[in-house]
Amino acid sequence: ATQQSIKAYVDANGGGGWEFVSTTSFSAEASKTITGLTSGYLYKVVIPQMTFSAGGAVLLRFGDTGGIDSGASDYRYGGYRMESNSGSISDASSDYIQKCSSAATGDILTSSFEIFGAGVSAETTALGDSAVEATNGAVTPFGGRRRSAITCDRFQISVASGNLTGDLHLYRLATS
C-alpha cells in the first residue's frame, strides 16, 4: 500500500483512529533519528519500500533528550527469520534491536512495527515484522525492548553497512 492510500484509509476512518504524523525520507543515508514522541500515544512505523545499497542488518534504537542509547547491552531482542528454504531463531542482548538483514545491494525492505512506552519512564518496546525482497525472500517477525527505563522521545533506524533509500511513515493512536 502506498502512503497516500494508508493516509486516505486513516482519514476516512477518523475519530479515534490512527493519525498520520510525518514522513521521513532516506536518500542514500546510513541512519535517521525521528524525534517528537510523546506520552498518550501508541506509535506505528510503516516502511513501504526501502532499498539497500549493500547487504547488512537494519537496526532500531531508542533515545531520550540525552540522545540515542547504544550501550553494549542496552537492548534485548528476538525474532524468527523465515526464508523460502530455511528458518532460524535469533535471541540476543545487544546495542540495538535487529529488525532484519539484507543479502545484497538492491534488496528491498518492507516493515511495520509499533512502539510501546513512548513519553513515559518505561522499558520502551517494539513489536512488528519485516520482509526483505531478496533471493530467499526473508520475512522476520521481531520484538525487542530497551533494557532499562527511559522517557523515550525518539527512535533511530540505521543500517549496519551501506545506506538506505526510501520513506518511513509515522502514525500515532491516542491511548487515553
Side-chain angles (χ1 to χ4, degrees):
T2 66
Q3 189 272 333
Q4 291 82 9
S5 65
I6 294 169
K7 184 174 182 333
Y9 174 80
V10 170
D11 290 345
N13 291 288
W18 289 99
E19 173 188 354
F20 174 74
V21 177
S22 64
T23 295
T24 300
S25 295
F26 286 71
S27 181
E29 296 169 87
S31 72
K32 286 275 191 173
T33 299
I34 292 82
T35 60
L37 305 183
T38 61
S39 63
Y41 295 95
L42 167 66
Y43 287 89
K44 183 171 195 71
V45 176
V46 176
I47 301 171
Q49 185 174 18
M50 196 168 284
T51 305
F52 292 86
S53 71
V58 176
L59 314 175
L60 170 64
R61 293 183 173 103
F62 299 116
D64 56 19
T65 56
I68 295 296
D69 296 324
S70 60
S73 59
D74 280 354
Y75 301 91
R76 182 97 188 145
Y77 73 90
Y80 181 77
R81 182 179 169 94
M82 298 171 281
E83 297 180 353
S84 60
N85 58 1
S86 67
S88 61
I89 296 173
S90 63
D91 178 23
S93 177
S94 185
D95 65 339
Y96 57 82
I97 297 170
Q98 182 171 327
K99 293 171 42 43
C100 66
S101 59
S102 161
T105 299
D107 284 353
I108 297 171
L109 166 70
T110 301
S111 183
S112 173
F113 63 93
E114 287 80 36
I115 298 173
F116 301 88
V120 296
S121 182
E123 294 180 354
T124 309
T125 301
L127 296 171
D129 53 49
S130 296
V132 175
E133 294 178 28
T135 304
N136 291 330
V139 176
T140 308
F142 71 93
R145 67 177 174 88
R146 175 78 172 75
R147 295 184 72 179
S148 61
I150 61 170
T151 303
C152 177
D153 69 348
R154 65 196 67 206
F155 67 96
Q156 179 186 69
I157 299 289
S158 62
V159 65
S161 62
N163 294 308
L164 295 169
T165 298
D167 292 333
L168 175 153
H169 308 295
L170 181 64
Y171 299 86
R172 67 184 185 181
L173 178 67
T175 57
S176 55

